[in-house]
Amino acid sequence: MLILSAQDVDTCLPMKTAIEGMRHAFAASSAGELQMPDRSSVTLNSPSSLALFMPAHIKDSPIVSVKTVTVVPTNRVASLPIVQSVVVAFDASTGSPVGLLDGSRLTAIRTAAGGGVSVDLLSRQDSTTLAVIGSGTQAKAGIEAVCSVRNISKIQVFSPTQENAEKLVEEASRTRWCPSIEVVADPDTAVRNADIVWTATDSAEPTFSRESLQHGTHVVGIGSFQPSMIEIEPSLFTSASIFVDQLDACWAEAGEVIAARSQGLISPNDVEELGNVILGRTQGRTSSDEITIFKSVGIAAQDAVATQLALSAAKELGVGTQASL
């Protein structure tokens, strides 16, 4: 078994490679070329603490993967990560375990890469400004993903905790891919000037106002993954083209989409899978002033592709630690 640490995953799964991999993951999902049971969850010692289990096997892939994620909000008090994860990979032919990967880093990369695919397909080609709502790992990864597919010249960041926003700006400024970046005092200021909006929070309420969004903007929502979480104002969906990673997953878990439907603002026919755009089955953006939204809750197909890519690169680069069980 090859064990890949978070640093190993970073080395073996660069963002541009991950973005191309997520195209394959979304296309395979929409084409039905995979086995991907619904995500299952177990409540831990408190109602807000969960363990999630996500298996998947994509047709003709040499591996099958299972990701386990724990979400424990009270870990913040103990200075422990709120989200922790591992991915186990098995040989699809023999069933033998062949990989154990840091799932938290892999999730951050593949989630951002999925949003990056949506930016490449749905945002205006001349997009140059980015608003980021949130200041955690997914926010930083999102900046890299957007900058990988668009020529971004200005980034504005908002977080309810200004100290965290300042830390994100400091860290991003030291990277080779980040342009001009600054903290702003409120989310609407950031959104009002943005061609692309990236939300990466666990908020239960909309993170910016509908009125602050300009025509032609592309919105990526990747933070919420439960019906109680709503990052994007549900009424915004009435004036936007809506794309998701997977329909069944989003109708079960995407709070914004669920709320918009329950309020009678949209119908199931108003929502399309991003994979169908990749497959050429449906159109993406149709005009320069169109608002587009990509809502992602994360699907196991993304983990399966990212895991295969990381393990393959690790073998070529001689990265990781070999272990026998």
Side-chain angles (χ1 to χ4, degrees):
M1 173 182 281
L2 186 59
I3 300 175
L4 300 184
S5 67
Q7 184 176 351
D8 295 333
V9 172
D10 264 336
T11 300
C12 297
L13 194 62
M15 185 58 70
K16 288 189 176 182
T17 299
I19 288 172
E20 290 308 307
M22 294 311 99
R23 290 180 190 272
H24 175 53
F26 291 144
S29 176
S30 293
E33 295 180 344
L34 78 170
Q35 295 182 66
M36 187 174 67
D38 291 342
R39 173 164 38 202
S40 59
S41 65
V42 174
T43 302
L44 303 181
N45 292 334
S46 69
S48 61
S49 297
L50 299 171
L52 308 170
F53 304 91
M54 301 171 62
H57 177 243
I58 293 179
K59 182 180 178 181
D60 299 327
S61 171
I63 67 161
V64 55
S65 67
V66 182
K67 184 172 78 174
T68 301
V69 184
T70 57
V71 182
V72 183
T74 55
N75 276 359
R76 183 182 288 110
V77 179
S79 298
L80 291 171
I82 293 173
V83 179
Q84 300 176 83
S85 176
V86 295
V87 179
V88 182
F90 299 88
D91 186 295
S93 297
T94 66
S96 301
V98 294
L100 177 65
L101 295 78
D102 181 286
S104 296
R105 189 59 197 145
L106 183 134
T107 299
I109 296 171
R110 67 79 153 151
T111 302
V117 174
S118 83
V119 171
D120 196 29
L121 293 175
L122 301 175
S123 73
R124 300 192 327 271
Q125 291 287 335
D126 62 353
S127 296
T128 59
T129 55
L130 168 66
V132 178
I133 312 299
S135 54
T137 300
Q138 293 289 5
K140 182 179 178 182
I143 294 171
E144 182 179 5
V146 175
C147 291
S148 295
V149 297
R150 286 293 181 269
N151 186 23
I152 300 299
S153 60
K154 183 178 181 180
I155 302 171
Q156 294 186 315
V157 177
F158 170 79
S159 172
T161 307
Q162 184 167 337
E163 180 182 353
N164 292 343
E166 291 173 349
K167 181 180 178 182
L168 170 61
V169 167
E170 180 184 355
E171 291 178 353
S173 296
R174 295 198 298 264
T175 66
R176 68 182 185 280
W177 38 260
C178 184
S180 172
I181 183 170
E182 63 180 359
V183 177
V184 294
D186 69 272
D188 285 351
T189 297
V191 169
R192 192 172 293 114
N193 301 316
D195 300 315
I196 300 166
V197 176
W198 188 284
T199 64
T201 76
D202 59 0
S203 179
E205 298 180 352
T207 54
F208 62 90
S209 70
R210 175 182 178 177
E211 292 73 24
S212 65
L213 199 70
Q214 64 180 354
H215 291 293
T217 302
H218 177 56
V219 181
V220 183
I222 56 92
S224 60
F225 61 93
Q226 293 181 351
S228 60
M229 297 177 176
I230 297 179
E231 293 186 289
I232 303 169
E233 170 59 53
S235 65
L236 179 58
F237 288 84
T238 62
S239 56
S241 297
I242 310 161
F243 301 86
V244 299
D245 46 14
Q246 207 244 4
L247 286 170
D248 289 344
C250 280
W251 288 127
E253 299 172 338
E256 303 95 329
V257 181
I258 294 169
R261 181 180 63 177
S262 66
Q263 294 171 25
L265 301 174
I266 62 172
S267 72
N269 291 334
D270 295 322
V271 183
E272 186 59 78
E273 291 185 347
L274 189 63
N276 283 328
V277 179
I278 298 168
L279 293 168
R281 294 174 173 175
T282 190
Q283 282 188 296
R285 172 176 291 276
T286 58
S287 69
S288 61
D289 62 351
E290 180 182 10
I291 294 173
T292 53
I293 298 174
F294 174 62
K295 175 59 207 166
S296 171
V297 294
I299 56 176
Q302 293 176 262
D303 301 312
V305 171
T307 297
Q308 181 181 338
L309 289 171
L311 288 174
S312 178
K315 292 174 184 176
E316 291 182 8
L317 298 172
V319 171
T321 303
Q322 291 284 353
S324 299
L325 297 180

